[in-house]
Amino acid sequence: MEYFFTKTLTDSFENAIQKVTEGLKGEGFGILTEIDLKATFKKKLDVDFYNYRILGACNPSFAYKALLEEDKIGTMLPCNVIVQEKVPGQIEVSAVDPAASMMAVENKGLAEVASEVRSRLQRVIAKL
């Protein structure tokens, strides 16, 4: 089982970030964290890296339901979506598959929540 969903776009990096953010919002997700690895690596390591951003997406309703089912599941939140540009103009967007990442947790109620989140993230990626 793959642990992510992915799609490649022909677009600018910043425009892709905007499209992903809007798509997530349409499925009830907000962005809790945004990590710019290119800037971080330059600042901390003085190395050049391609555009690579990690968006920490959260749907509060599903996060709440997941935490009610399994209080340690916060170790796997939020759902990460990455946007990377290895080749100029070719933007790869990938989202974690929460159902795959939560298979190790044997909890039927949590699996149901993960399945719904999975469907929503798949729709976001598919609509890009």
Side-chain angles (χ1 to χ4, degrees):
M1 174 182 261
E2 290 279 352
Y3 64 93
F4 62 90
F5 316 109
T6 195
K7 185 171 189 175
T8 301
L9 313 175
T10 302
D11 209 336
S12 73
F13 186 74
E14 291 303 324
N15 198 36
I17 295 284
Q18 183 179 353
K19 285 180 180 177
V20 170
T21 302
E22 289 171 4
L24 288 166
K25 184 178 180 182
E27 290 290 339
F29 292 87
I31 304 299
L32 296 180
T33 59
E34 188 168 335
I35 302 168
D36 184 340
L37 288 182
K38 179 179 180 174
T40 300
F41 291 159
K42 186 64 176 173
K43 181 179 178 182
K44 300 289 185 179
L45 305 175
D46 195 28
V47 296
D48 293 320
F49 199 71
Y50 56 89
N51 287 323
Y52 193 115
R53 203 143 326 148
I54 303 171
L55 306 175
C58 180
N59 180 307
S61 176
F62 290 112
Y64 176 72
K65 289 177 184 177
L67 286 164
L68 289 177
E69 292 292 335
E70 186 75 37
D71 71 335
K72 307 299 185 288
I73 207 64
T75 61
M76 297 179 159
L77 300 177
C79 294
N80 284 332
V81 178
I82 62 170
V83 182
Q84 58 180 322
E85 181 180 31
K86 292 181 182 176
V87 176
Q90 296 297 308
I91 313 303
E92 184 179 290
V93 180
S94 303
V96 68
D97 179 348
S101 64
M102 294 187 188
M103 282 177 54
V105 182
E106 296 178 9
N107 181 317
K108 185 179 180 203
L110 182 62
E112 292 170 7
V113 174
S115 178
E116 179 59 31
V117 174
R118 176 185 208 224
S119 295
R120 289 172 183 252
L121 290 173
Q122 283 178 315
R123 284 194 297 267
V124 169
I125 298 297
K127 290 179 185 177
L128 293 174

